Amino acid sequence: GENVEQHPSTLSVQEGDSAVIKCTYSDSASNYFPWYKQELGKGPQLIIDIRSNVGEKKDQRIAVTLNKTAKHFSLHITETQPEDSAVYFCAARYYGQNFVFGPGTRLSVLP
Amino acid sequence: GAVVSQHPSWVICKSGTSVKIECRSLDFQATTMFWYRQFPKQSLMLMATSNEGSKATYEQGVEKDKFLINHASLTLSTLTVTSAHPEDSSFYICSARVASGVTDTQYFGPGTRLTVL
């Protein structure tokens, strides 16, 4: 079955700097890769996703890149702000199957 | 994005009582809903998959008689923790699957924090 690894587990950056979180997956059949942001005491919120037929997707300050050959995908946050501080989860899935989540990355943006 | 609600947002109960948590899709119909459990500083652990009109599919190690799931309509799934004990204290989160055209993703509810005394 699918297995998703996520690095780093914690990440601290200065406000205004960029943050990058990387996930690797094991099942080459996986074709959908969402990223969720979870603030303290709340449910995860879908922030961006990418399908296997696309190499990069961008939405304002966040972007996701996918390398199917290496089986990894990354979340990029530019010009970080304190409100970006949260736990970020990546996930991978083949169509119709259940999501497999990474263990999460705790991002702290220092003012 | 699609909106999923949960009720209650938090609940405190005595050991031995049962607690029901509701999960609703507010602006769409969800044929499939999922129930997760999350321990502090840990990832999401899938408990069961709930399909409208049929029995839930439980993950290995999850007691189906302990965690009763009912998906009675396309917008409502419920999780009942029966005879709750302190070790059942956790953050329970539901999600709903949205599958339309090329879209097939999950939207999460805000979670319910259960504390069993």
Side-chain angles (χ1 to χ4, degrees):
Chain A
E2 177 65 275
N3 181 55
V4 177
E5 297 182 355
Q6 186 172 346
H7 298 281
S9 56
T10 60
L11 178 60
S12 293
V13 299
Q14 290 294 135
E15 182 177 357
D17 288 349
S18 295
V20 180
I21 303 170
K22 181 178 177 179
C23 288
T24 59
Y25 60 99
S26 61
D27 189 348
S28 58
S30 289
N31 58 4
Y32 177 67
F33 310 93
W35 283 91
Y36 289 87
K37 174 185 180 182
Q38 186 178 27
E39 297 177 347
L40 189 62
K42 298 183 179 180
Q45 177 187 9
L46 179 66
I47 56 172
I48 197 167
D49 57 11
I50 192 168
R51 287 172 175 77
S52 59
N53 60 345
V54 177
E56 182 175 1
K57 184 177 179 180
K58 189 174 182 180
D59 183 4
Q60 299 183 336
R61 294 187 299 109
I62 60 174
V64 55
T65 58
L66 171 66
N67 184 325
K68 288 191 295 182
T69 302
K71 291 189 286 188
H72 65 71
F73 57 110
S74 299
L75 177 70
H76 305 255
I77 306 175
T78 59
E79 301 174 22
T80 54
Q81 301 168 3
E83 51 264 38
D84 295 328
S85 296
V87 178
Y88 292 81
F89 292 100
C90 64
R93 189 210 63 205
Y94 177 71
Y95 186 85
Q97 302 300 310
N98 290 339
F99 283 6
V100 176
F101 286 91
T105 295
R106 184 172 301 275
L107 173 64
S108 298
V109 180
L110 308 175
Chain B
V3 180
V4 178
S5 71
Q6 268 182 256
H7 179 80
S9 56
W10 60 269
V11 57
I12 301 173
C13 69
K14 293 182 179 180
S15 185
T17 60
S18 294
V19 174
K20 179 185 285 188
I21 303 170
E22 292 186 349
C23 176
R24 294 181 184 272
S25 56
L26 297 186
D27 51 359
F28 64 99
Q29 294 182 330
T31 55
T32 304
M33 289 185 173
F34 305 88
W35 287 96
Y36 292 84
R37 184 173 181 176
Q38 188 177 38
F39 293 103
K41 297 186 178 181
Q42 293 192 19
S43 190
L44 303 158
M45 184 188 81
L46 179 64
M47 299 174 65
T49 301
S50 167
N51 291 296
E52 186 267 337
S54 64
K55 291 184 178 180
T57 302
Y58 291 82
E59 296 299 301
Q60 190 173 8
V62 178
E63 299 177 59
K64 61 180 180 180
D65 295 330
K66 173 76 170 175
F67 300 98
L68 300 179
I69 293 173
N70 183 274
H71 194 157
S73 76
L74 289 172
T75 60
L76 173 64
S77 177
T78 61
L79 168 68
T80 301
V81 183
T82 62
S83 186
H85 292 283
E87 57 265 30
D88 299 323
S89 298
S90 192
F91 193 51
Y92 293 88
I93 314 172
C94 71
S95 72
R97 181 183 178 194
V98 175
S100 177
V102 297
T103 297
D104 185 0
T105 190
Q106 288 179 221
Y107 291 93
F108 285 85
T112 297
R113 183 161 303 283
L114 170 63
T115 302
V116 184
L117 303 177

